[in-house]
Amino acid sequence: RYDADAGRLVLDPDRAAAVRRCFELSRGGLGVAAVAGRLNAEGVPVIGRTHLAVRGQRELPPAERERRAVRWTESTVFHLLRTRAAIGEY
C-alpha cells in the first residue's frame, strides 16, 4: 500500500502473509481450486474488498443493503500466482 506520510510503498504484513500462504500451498502441489478452498477454510483474509452488497437491493439505501463476505476464488488465486508484481515488478 502507499503511505502518503512516508511518500513510498509500505508492506502490509497481513496481506503479505496471505500472499506467502498462497504461494506456499501452490508449491505444495495444490491447484488453484484447492488453494482457494484451503485459504477459505483457514480463514485467511481476502486481499482487497472484504464485503459486497447482495444483488437486487437497488431500492434500499446503501446503509440498509444486505452484504456478504468476499471469499477466495480460483480466479483470484490464479491471478495472484501469475502476476509478476508478486516478485516486485512494477
Side-chain angles (χ1 to χ4, degrees), residues 4-5 22 32-33 36 44 49 52 57-58 60 63 72 74 84:
D5 294 333
C22 185
V32 291
V44 176
R49 283 197 218 181
L52 290 174
Q57 303 180 71
R58 199 176 288 249
L60 296 174
W72 287 96
E74 294 175 29
R84 293 187 55 83

Side-chain angles (χ1 to χ4, degrees), residues 12-66:
D12 183 327
D14 295 331
R15 291 180 178 181
V19 171
R20 287 185 188 109
R21 182 67 179 138
C22 185
F23 274 91
E24 178 183 305
L25 292 171
S26 179
R27 277 193 314 268
L30 296 180
V32 291
V35 170
R38 183 76 60 92
L39 293 173
N40 288 324
E42 292 176 0
V44 176
V46 178
I47 297 171
R49 283 197 218 181
T50 58
H51 289 84
L52 290 174
V54 176
R55 289 185 179 193
Q57 303 180 71
R58 199 176 288 249
E59 68 281 352
L60 296 174
E64 296 177 14
R65 294 179 185 167
E66 181 184 349

